[in-house]
Amino acid sequence: MTDASISSLPEYFRYRVNRDLRVVGAWFAEKWRNSWLFKIAAVLAGLFIVLWVALFVWLASDLPDAESLVDYETPLPTVVRGIDGEIVHSYARERRVQLQYPDFPEMLVGAYLSAEDKTFFSHGGVDFTGTANAVVDYATKYGSGDRAVGGSTITQQLAKILLLGDEYSVTRKLKEMILASRIEGVLSKEEILELYLNEIPLGRRSFGVQAASRAYFDKDVGDLELHEMAFLAILPKAPERYGRKGQEDAAIERRDFVLQQMEENGYITEAQRAEAAAKPLGLVTQRSQRSVDAGYFLEEVRRQLIDQFGETAEDGENSVYAGGLWVRTSLDPELQEAARKALRAGLMRYHGSRGWTGPIATIDVSEGNWAGQLASSYLGIRYEDWRVGVVTQRSGSSATIGFSNGNEAPLTGLPNALKAGDVIAVKPSGNGFAVASVPGVSGGFLAEAVQTGRVLAMQGGFDHRLSDFNRATQAERQPGSTIKPFVYAAGLNYGLTPASEVPDKEFCVWQGARLGNKCFSNFGGSRGGGVYPMRFGLEQSRNLMTVHIASEAGIENVVDTFKAVEIGDHPAFLSSALGAGDTTVERMVNAYAALANHGRLHTPTVIDYVQDRHGKVIWRADKRRCQGCSMPEWDGNPMPRLGPMGREAMDPRTAFQVVHMLEGVVTRGTATRLRDLELPLFGKTGTTTGPTNAWFVGGTPEIVAGVYLGYDQPRNLGGYVQGGNTAAPIFKQFVQETRERWHDEPAVAPPGIRMVRIDRRTGKRVFDGWPTDDPKAAVIWEAFKPDTEPSRSTRQDEIAAKRDEILELIRAGREGRLGMGEGNTNQPSNFVEEQGGIY
């Protein structure tokens, strides 16, 4: 066959390949027969190829799949927003912010390319010239302990960061080169740069240029100046070095080198380089505050998120510290700040001049590393200008205080018990600091939206940096008289009315032959006396009347009422009606919110909804469905509406009656100090035996809040302490701080309520007089269920009148006055009063 006889192109190529192979084969056979040197060279070349293939297979056999980077998602912190949608916090162990490639300024990209990989857009993952230089550098430094630098392209660095780790070895470098070539085959250059600029570690616990921009300059990347961009570009070489104090000269030298490279690569002009090089580093030592001071609230959110989604990436794609969640909470920053201030003021007011309460913690200062120990304790305080420090030495009347940054200062105002190693709070005084006393007493505060159950503010102690125990949700305390409204609710459900007469007298109950009688009496053993309308007992917090009501309704029904509103599972003892069981501020506030919400009980929530990193809602608190809300066009029917939230835990009429009586607690009862707020407030004070706890819970038809004050290990607060003079002022300050948020609309009665004029002192119905604005007015409006309102004269009135009439007849017979014509003796002398009186 000849070249001319071939008719098609494929046949021609087959012909040429066969012919050339025969020629090469013949040449190789001839050389093999005639030359020993050729034989040796051929064998060595074959061995080299076999070894190279084996090495490649060995290195590549366990490499990660570069395809995984196509769907790779950067581990991102969880961002928390408040009720208004503004960012209030983030849960992060590393600083990370993910941007897309167009978000990076062009000049910032140029800075990184000039500093790290100026041939990035032209190589295939490996820069062989740079690799050769790195080999030479490695050879010269071999055995010295110094680490060779250079040779890694941006693609290789990405392979190391995301897939290989930071092992320092030749094999890791070879794997890096293989993997970089594979990455270039699955990702575009822009995608590689995007991953790199989002993932590169840059010091100060920041990963990616956006996080580093905030960490070093407190700016977003779009706001950086040229010299700041150049500084960020030097960090990959030594991320924990150039940002440290004392390294300014080295950082400026390296920064100016990057600026010079940017000029040579055409990214900037000479004038721009010179202007940027003349500027200082401008690093910030402290970032601006980006988090609302709501540690107890935010810790509750974090705990619930971890329970729902897990903590780390190993727990799932939506974990708290890697999933990049966006969380909308019910946190109201304004109300939260007011709650924090009010509770702290109440604690400080009670603490008064009680003196130093002891150290916050203790550390060992003998080793000299007290600053590191203090920093790692994460103890702190944000109250006025106070700080937390450790006593580094104490000698008689002199001492020094040290802080986590290593600074020390003189300390004055020394308690006798103060010693070296004590971690304490201090406040500025002269040229040093004075000992400050954190109150030993504590407490909890929580505010909730009535209609939704959303927790608006939560303060679980003086400062969450000192103790993360949340006394608003975790502290089980006796509620005292704040539980009485639910005893009265049980009474209203089982036949009583707000005008029912209840004895304020000693109550005894037979407990069996072994225990005998159990008698309830007033403080000091007084047996009380008199009979009063039910309202009076709640307004004045009468214990004996409460016990009588609990007995009348049945204590089992009372504790069932507690369960229904989720106060707690209390034993069926009469003492439970006086608040002897345990509950939390959160549960009490939620139960009072149910009263204001016509008996509908919500589950209190701190999270409204959670979105994943792509914006998809993956959890929401409000699980109601709206049928027809997504119709493409109106079908002419009424607008679809969501159903009611929560569940009905109490008769709406009963709930309103209780709220109506609780308004009297503020108007003329145990919480009158709140009256000058001039709001339609309802609420109840509470003081437990000792007293060990002081409570107030109450609010308006829109917001309910509750607070208690007491020691973590319950002990006597002092005989003068009551809910009205200790807890109610905390609530009052909270309202005063946020007065514009509180509306004047009174509670609206539900269907089935009749408002009737009654005499406040007797509970009898009034037909002539009218209620006034005077809090002590005799005539008031009272809420009744149908057919329960008092008549003009009650059956009891008639019985009492008949009894008096009979007694009068007996007395008259004894005195011989019968039949003497004294006029109309058939009418008793107190006829007008016994017939209901004239009003």
Side-chain angles (χ1 to χ4, degrees), residues 632-691:
E633 59 182 28
W634 183 45
D635 60 2
N637 292 322
M639 179 184 298
R641 296 185 182 278
L642 291 168
M645 297 179 65
R647 64 175 178 86
E648 188 172 290
M650 185 184 296
D651 185 331
R653 301 169 301 174
T654 299
F656 180 80
Q657 287 178 301
V658 174
V659 169
H660 192 60
M661 289 191 289
L662 288 174
E663 290 174 349
V665 175
V666 176
T667 303
R668 54 189 159 265
T670 58
T672 53
R673 66 180 61 238
L674 304 178
R675 193 167 63 204
D676 59 3
L677 291 172
E678 298 181 352
L679 284 169
L681 291 171
F682 72 94
K684 186 72 185 73
T685 58
T687 310
T688 59
T689 302

Side-chain angles (χ1 to χ4, degrees), residues 29 47 55 69 142 176 231 331 365 539 560 604 607 689 691 739 836:
L47 289 174
L55 178 63
L69 295 182
Y142 185 77
E176 184 183 289
F231 172 82
L331 175 65
V365 296
E539 289 181 354
D560 284 347
I607 301 173
T689 302
R739 183 60 179 81

Side-chain angles (χ1 to χ4, degrees), residues 389-455:
V390 58
V391 180
T392 55
Q393 67 87 20
R394 168 78 190 269
S395 178
S397 60
S398 66
T400 56
I401 188 75
F403 301 104
S404 57
N405 59 5
N407 294 339
E408 292 184 83
L411 183 64
T412 59
L414 310 180
N416 292 333
L418 186 73
K419 62 184 183 301
D422 285 346
V423 179
I424 62 172
V426 296
K427 54 188 176 182
S429 176
N431 295 325
F433 292 86
V435 175
S437 185
V438 177
V441 72
S442 197
F445 186 104
L446 187 140
E448 180 179 318
V450 169
Q451 304 298 323
T452 61
R454 301 163 82 194
V455 176

Side-chain angles (χ1 to χ4, degrees), residues 440-508:
V441 72
S442 197
F445 186 104
L446 187 140
E448 180 179 318
V450 169
Q451 304 298 323
T452 61
R454 301 163 82 194
V455 176
L456 304 174
M458 180 191 297
Q459 186 69 15
F462 192 83
D463 196 307
H464 71 96
R465 302 164 194 82
L466 301 177
S467 168
D468 60 4
F469 180 65
N470 190 340
R471 295 159 189 85
T473 61
Q474 296 175 299
E476 296 277 349
R477 313 292 292 203
Q478 291 184 343
S481 294
T482 57
I483 208 168
K484 288 179 180 177
F486 305 96
V487 179
Y488 281 65
L492 292 170
N493 279 334
Y494 291 93
L496 298 177
T497 76
S500 296
E501 292 188 332
V502 179
D504 185 27
K505 300 178 181 179
E506 183 181 51
F507 182 87
C508 295

Side-chain angles (χ1 to χ4, degrees), residues 325-646:
L325 302 177
W326 290 85
V327 181
R328 175 67 71 91
T329 71
S330 56
L331 175 65
D332 188 310
E334 181 183 4
L335 295 182
Q336 175 63 37
E337 182 176 3
R340 186 181 69 254
K341 287 182 178 179
L343 181 60
R344 283 179 170 177
L347 298 177
M348 293 296 290
R349 191 163 48 243
Y350 172 82
H351 180 73
S353 58
R354 283 178 169 79
W356 191 55
T357 55
I360 300 166
T362 57
I363 61 177
D364 184 4
V365 296
S366 62
E367 300 295 328
N369 63 337
W370 52 264
Q373 293 184 63
L374 184 60
S376 62
S377 72
Y378 296 106
L379 292 171
I381 194 168
R382 192 184 297 175
Y383 175 72
E384 295 181 350
D385 53 1
W386 291 17
R387 298 176 65 181
V388 166
V390 58
V391 180
T392 55
Q393 67 87 20
R394 168 78 190 269
S395 178
S397 60
S398 66
T400 56
I401 188 75
F403 301 104
S404 57
N405 59 5
N407 294 339
E408 292 184 83
L411 183 64
T412 59
L414 310 180
N416 292 333
L418 186 73
K419 62 184 183 301
D422 285 346
V423 179
I424 62 172
V426 296
K427 54 188 176 182
S429 176
N431 295 325
F433 292 86
V435 175
S437 185
V438 177
V441 72
S442 197
F445 186 104
L446 187 140
E448 180 179 318
V450 169
Q451 304 298 323
T452 61
R454 301 163 82 194
V455 176
L456 304 174
M458 180 191 297
Q459 186 69 15
F462 192 83
D463 196 307
H464 71 96
R465 302 164 194 82
L466 301 177
S467 168
D468 60 4
F469 180 65
N470 190 340
R471 295 159 189 85
T473 61
Q474 296 175 299
E476 296 277 349
R477 313 292 292 203
Q478 291 184 343
S481 294
T482 57
I483 208 168
K484 288 179 180 177
F486 305 96
V487 179
Y488 281 65
L492 292 170
N493 279 334
Y494 291 93
L496 298 177
T497 76
S500 296
E501 292 188 332
V502 179
D504 185 27
K505 300 178 181 179
E506 183 181 51
F507 182 87
C508 295
V509 58
W510 177 253
Q511 299 182 110
R514 186 173 64 88
L515 298 177
N517 264 349
K518 166 66 176 178
C519 292
F520 293 84
S521 58
N522 282 324
F523 180 75
S526 168
R527 299 185 179 185
V531 177
Y532 303 97
M534 189 181 192
R535 166 182 284 277
F536 176 84
L538 189 54
E539 289 181 354
Q540 302 302 322
S541 198
R542 308 297 290 183
N543 286 344
L544 294 181
M545 292 181 67
T546 304
V547 172
H548 277 278
I549 291 170
S551 177
E552 182 78 13
I555 190 60
E556 293 81 5
N557 295 325
V558 170
V559 296
D560 284 347
T561 301
F562 296 165
K563 288 181 184 179
V565 293
E566 298 181 1
I567 289 174
D569 189 3
H570 294 178
F573 301 142
L574 286 174
S575 57
S576 294
L578 299 178
D582 290 335
T583 187
T584 66
V585 175
E586 180 184 46
R587 295 202 292 267
M588 288 303 298
V589 169
N590 195 51
Y592 272 69
L595 290 175
N597 197 30
H598 290 175
R600 293 201 73 85
L601 183 75
H602 298 291
T603 299
T605 60
V606 293
I607 301 173
D608 291 344
Y609 58 85
V610 180
Q611 297 168 281
D612 65 15
R613 67 173 69 217
H614 305 296
K616 179 183 177 182
V617 176
I618 56 177
W619 184 90
R620 66 170 62 248
D622 185 356
K623 294 179 172 58
R624 294 176 297 169
R625 294 184 178 276
C626 184
Q627 299 297 330
C629 287
S630 300
M631 290 188 297
E633 59 182 28
W634 183 45
D635 60 2
N637 292 322
M639 179 184 298
R641 296 185 182 278
L642 291 168
M645 297 179 65

Side-chain angles (χ1 to χ4, degrees), residues 816-831:
R817 292 187 284 112
L818 287 177
M820 296 179 63
E822 293 186 35
N824 188 10
T825 57
N826 292 328
Q827 302 293 349
S829 60
N830 60 345
F831 172 79

